[in-house]
Amino acid sequence: MNLCKIIIGHDHRFGRNRTATIDDLIQYGEKYNFEVEQITAKEIDEIAISSTKIRNALLEGDVNTANSYLGYNYSITGSIIEGKK
């Protein structure tokens, strides 16, 4: 994959049952020659922001909250195609 660096969130877990941690990822980085950077949690009004909270806000139709969490306006792009009517 020619991976040079991976950036993960402060609470990132992966693997079976999400049991692997940043320490495991760092070991993989040493073995496969890539860098691992962990970012700190971002909070807005004492609420820890996460991709799950952003997705949930969007699923609930609360685009304003999602925009606030993202720090920019959420948008989607694509082509509209005619359906079967």
Side-chain angles (χ1 to χ4, degrees), residues 10 40-50 53 68-69:
H10 70 283
T40 59
K42 180 177 179 181
E43 292 186 0
I44 297 175
D45 297 329
E46 298 183 25
I47 297 172
I49 306 306
S50 69
K53 288 181 182 172
S68 172
Y69 290 168

Side-chain angles (χ1 to χ4, degrees), residues 3-71:
L3 181 66
C4 297
K5 183 175 188 174
I6 186 167
I7 300 171
I8 62 170
H10 70 283
D11 59 352
H12 180 75
R13 301 288 184 273
F14 66 102
R16 186 174 182 203
N17 298 320
R18 297 177 42 101
T19 57
T21 67
I22 186 169
D23 296 324
D24 299 301
L25 198 54
I26 290 170
Q27 286 180 353
Y28 287 125
E30 291 169 355
K31 181 176 180 179
Y32 297 107
N33 197 32
F34 64 86
E35 183 181 349
V36 178
E37 179 181 341
Q38 187 176 40
I39 59 174
T40 59
K42 180 177 179 181
E43 292 186 0
I44 297 175
D45 297 329
E46 298 183 25
I47 297 172
I49 306 306
S50 69
S51 57
T52 300
K53 288 181 182 172
I54 294 166
R55 282 192 302 272
N56 287 340
L58 291 171
L59 287 169
E60 293 169 6
D62 191 353
V63 179
N64 288 331
T65 296
N67 290 345
S68 172
Y69 290 168
L70 287 166

Side-chain angles (χ1 to χ4, degrees), residues 66-79:
N67 290 345
S68 172
Y69 290 168
L70 287 166
Y72 57 88
N73 289 336
Y74 174 78
S75 65
I76 56 174
T77 59
S79 299

